[in-house]
Amino acid sequence: MESQITREAAWELLREYNKDSFHLQHALTVEGVMRWYAMKLGFANEVDFWGMVGLLHDIDFEMFPEEHCIKAPELLRDGGVGEEMIHAICSHAYGLHVDVKPEHLMEKVLYATDELTGLIWAAALMRPSKSVQDMELKSLKKKYKSKGFAAGCSREVIERGAEMLGWPLDEVLQKTLDAMRACETQVSREMEVI
């Protein structure tokens, strides 16, 4: 998988359409999570591709929320992003806004973890440490089961993603928590310079 765009160019492209620090932090987090999964699942040679799919996955969400992943292909093509990456990015809105089905393992990982990273981050903000470093699966599961907590993070999408992957929900929760632990410092560092 060729990314056809540098990480620097992808970051500039994202910043062109995203100004809100919440959206930028989410993009950086999903990038880090996707890079972690690429390494863990044996796709080390595709780590940059997986990461940039994570970084750019919500490129149109801030400015065009009603056209999420409908407007994205145009913005991405204009920014020099290849069709393979565009497909991967748009597949995370499958069944919500588009009919682009996640097929590659990477697309299924993005589908399962996108909403979940938001839920985990919301849970981290409730902790005295404001960090995922000291969060345990048991604590995360409690927040996950609380319907009113981070209600905007669709449990249905997360569970559908776990099904696509063929993994138990607990495994998706634990792996994504581990991935967020691994990238939290880097995300914080990048957010400091925005």
Side-chain angles (χ1 to χ4, degrees):
M1 291 184 172
E2 286 293 316
S3 44
Q4 300 171 331
I5 184 173
T6 65
R7 200 301 184 155
E8 292 71 26
W11 178 241
E12 281 178 33
L13 184 61
L14 179 73
R15 298 287 309 269
E16 193 176 325
Y17 301 101
N18 290 266
K19 311 297 181 203
D20 187 289
S21 63
F22 175 84
H23 291 137
L24 294 172
Q25 181 165 6
H26 176 64
L28 290 168
T29 300
V30 177
E31 175 190 25
V33 165
M34 292 299 290
R35 291 179 71 84
W36 183 93
Y37 270 104
M39 294 301 290
K40 291 291 178 189
L41 297 175
F43 293 89
N45 60 331
E46 296 176 18
V47 73
D48 291 333
F49 186 92
W50 285 48
M52 278 194 275
V53 165
L55 184 68
L56 293 170
H57 80 285
D58 277 347
I59 189 165
D60 61 359
F61 189 76
E62 187 175 314
M63 290 178 74
F64 309 99
E66 301 304 314
E67 297 177 85
H68 183 38
C69 287
I70 296 166
K71 190 78 174 163
E74 175 192 333
L75 305 182
L76 293 164
R77 281 186 194 110
D78 289 350
V81 176
E83 293 303 314
E84 193 175 14
M85 188 175 286
I86 291 170
H87 182 280
I89 287 166
C90 292
S91 73
H92 88 279
Y94 175 67
L96 303 169
H97 304 277
V98 296
D99 281 337
V100 181
K101 190 172 185 183
E103 290 161 11
H104 185 281
L105 180 60
M106 176 259 303
E107 295 170 346
K108 294 173 184 176
V109 168
L110 177 63
Y111 189 92
T113 61
D114 175 31
E115 297 278 321
L116 182 53
T117 61
L119 189 139
I120 293 172
W121 179 241
L125 291 177
M126 303 292 290
R127 304 179 71 74
S129 66
K130 305 275 189 252
S131 169
V132 293
Q133 299 304 325
D134 59 354
M135 187 186 298
E136 295 299 324
L137 179 61
K138 186 175 147 188
S139 165
L140 174 58
K141 283 172 69 172
K142 199 171 170 184
K143 293 288 189 197
Y144 184 90
K145 287 176 184 168
S146 171
K147 297 261 186 271
F149 179 78
C153 299
S154 171
R155 274 69 164 172
E156 188 184 327
V157 168
I158 296 165
E159 287 160 20
R160 201 178 310 139
E163 268 177 47
M164 284 180 191
L165 288 164
W167 299 349
L169 180 61
D170 279 10
E171 185 178 342
V172 176
L173 296 176
Q174 183 65 63
K175 283 181 172 171
T176 305
L177 180 57
D178 291 344
M180 286 181 68
R181 280 194 195 118
C183 71
E184 185 177 57
T185 303
Q186 179 63 32
V187 170
S188 296
R189 208 174 291 135
E190 288 201 58
M191 287 303 293
E192 283 170 13
V193 296
I194 290 176

